[in-house]
Structures are given as structure tokens and as C-alpha cells.
Amino acid sequence: MNSPTPGNEATTVLIVDDHDLIRKGLRHAFSRDPQFEVVAEAGSAGDGLRKAAALQPNVVIMDLRLPDGSGLEATRKLRKAHPNMGIVVLTMYAGDDQLFGALEAGASAFVPKSAPSDDVVSAARHAATTPNAFTAADLAEAMKRRLTPTGPQLSPRESQVLKLLADGMSVAGIAKQLYVSESTAKTHISKLYEKLGAGNRAQALMTALKLGLLEAPDSPKF
């Protein structure tokens, strides 16, 4: 690991992610910058909160989805307990709902896992210096989308159908749940696919995630 510049203290980092490869990749990225020192890793929200309390790192890199709970809830707890700690939310599902969820939870930055690791390092640098100022690459566009929605506008029934599809329900199951015939359920699904520009369930759910019409599932069912 590189040493910090003489006379300057290293910015300490705790990485919380349940994927060992991602933790190792981020540790390597931080090791290339002499400003940072990774002091610990955690694979769960509970372990991350405990290590944050014990080690008091300058920055916590927090995965959005963890095996024992939500990274957003962990972020809320961190922000309440440590007002000046930098928190970078990292997520596989980078929709508007996730971005605004991170903002409202008190995160300092929001970075999709599809971004280069250098973007995470840059976000950590921001979080260390201005922990209470939120930044995200798509923030301006997300604000525009929230204020003036340009995506497909789903009816209440179509929103119901979308959630049931995300739950892995069959056409028969959706029909039963909505108290309609299977033919009517198929019509709702077809109209939903048309609005989302999708040809099947997987495409519809991925598009809905990207547009912020659906929260990321704990475990995708498609």
C-alpha cells in the first residue's frame, strides 16, 4: 500500500460489500492513491456498522444491497451516529429511486458499480472533504426527470402488474391476484411491455429499474 504524503494524514476508508471480488478491487484502487488507507472491510451491514463505530473511518463505501439488510438503512444509521463521516453508496441498480434514496438517507455520494473504480475513489475524496454535500454523476438529469417526468407513465393497474411480474408471478397468478381473467391479465402485461418498449419480462423489469419505476429486488426473479 502506498504511504500518504509526508505531513498529511491518510484518509481512512472502510469498504462494506458482500462480494469479495468487489472489496478486493476497491482496495486495490485505493492502494494506488497515497491519500487513502483502507483500514477494514465488511461483508454485511451489521459488521459494517460495528467496524465504523470502532474504527471511525473518514469514509465508508456502502453497498446498497447487503445480505442482512439495506445499505440505505445502514447509511441512515451512520449519518445519525457520525454526522461528519463521508459515505459513498455503491449499487448495482442505479435507477432514480436508488439515487434519491441515497440522497435522502444522508449519503455523500452515489456511484453505480458499472462505473470505473477511479470514480469510487473520486467520490470518496469528495465524501472526505464535504461529507454533507451530495454528489452523483447523473444527479442533474435525475432531478430533471423527477420534476418533469418524460418516461412512460403507468396506470395504477399497470404499476400493480409490474410489481407482480417482479415478484415472479405467472399470468395465472397475476389474474388471480387482480381478480381478472387470464386474457385480461395478458392484455395488461402486453400494454405494459409496449409502454416500456420491452419484448419479455426480463426486458420490462430491467427497463423499469433503470427508469426508477421499480425498486431493485433482493434477488432478481427473471
Side-chain angles (χ1 to χ4, degrees):
M1 180 179 295
N2 293 323
S3 299
T5 304
N8 294 333
E9 290 186 3
T11 298
T12 54
V13 178
L14 165 65
I15 300 171
V16 184
D17 195 291
D18 60 332
H19 291 93
D20 184 60
L21 285 177
I22 290 176
R23 294 199 306 272
K24 286 181 178 178
L26 290 175
R27 179 182 280 275
H28 178 68
F30 280 112
S31 74
R32 298 196 303 264
D33 191 318
Q35 175 185 342
F36 294 99
E37 177 188 0
V38 176
V39 292
E41 299 176 13
S44 67
D47 192 28
L49 291 172
R50 286 189 293 271
K51 288 180 177 176
L55 300 171
Q56 298 287 312
N58 301 120
V59 178
V60 175
I61 309 299
M62 179 67 69
D63 187 13
L64 190 64
R65 307 203 70 81
L66 294 161
D68 61 337
S70 164
L72 288 184
E73 183 57 32
T75 296
R76 290 187 190 95
K77 291 178 180 178
L78 282 177
R79 178 56 66 225
K80 183 177 180 180
H82 312 284
N84 296 315
M85 184 176 287
I87 308 169
V88 178
V89 166
L90 193 64
T91 177
M92 184 71 73
Y93 303 97
D96 287 356
D97 281 354
Q98 288 75 36
L99 187 154
F100 286 114
L103 170 61
E104 291 159 5
S108 314
F110 176 88
V111 183
K113 287 186 177 181
S114 57
S117 58
D118 286 348
D119 286 6
V120 182
V121 175
S122 295
R125 187 174 291 108
H126 159 86
T129 56
T130 52
N132 296 298
F134 183 76
T135 185
D138 196 36
L139 180 58
E141 291 302 314
M143 289 294 292
K144 289 180 183 178
R145 288 192 292 270
R146 171 165 280 198
L147 294 171
T148 55
T150 56
Q153 303 300 299
L154 304 185
S155 68
R157 177 64 87 189
E158 288 164 348
S159 294
Q160 280 183 297
V161 171
L162 178 60
K163 289 181 173 63
L164 295 174
L165 286 172
D167 287 339
M169 278 200 179
S170 65
V171 173
I174 292 172
K176 184 177 180 180
Q177 183 75 21
L178 299 180
Y179 300 102
V180 299
S181 67
E182 288 191 25
S183 176
T184 299
K186 288 178 181 178
T187 298
H188 288 315
I189 293 170
S190 177
K191 288 181 178 178
L192 175 65
Y193 285 1
E194 184 178 349
K195 283 190 176 182
L196 295 175
N200 54 46
R201 181 190 299 243
Q203 291 175 4
L205 296 184
M206 290 306 297
T207 299
L209 282 169
K210 291 176 182 177
L211 293 173
L213 298 172
L214 189 67
E215 291 187 5
D218 289 320
S219 55
K221 301 178 178 66
F222 49 89

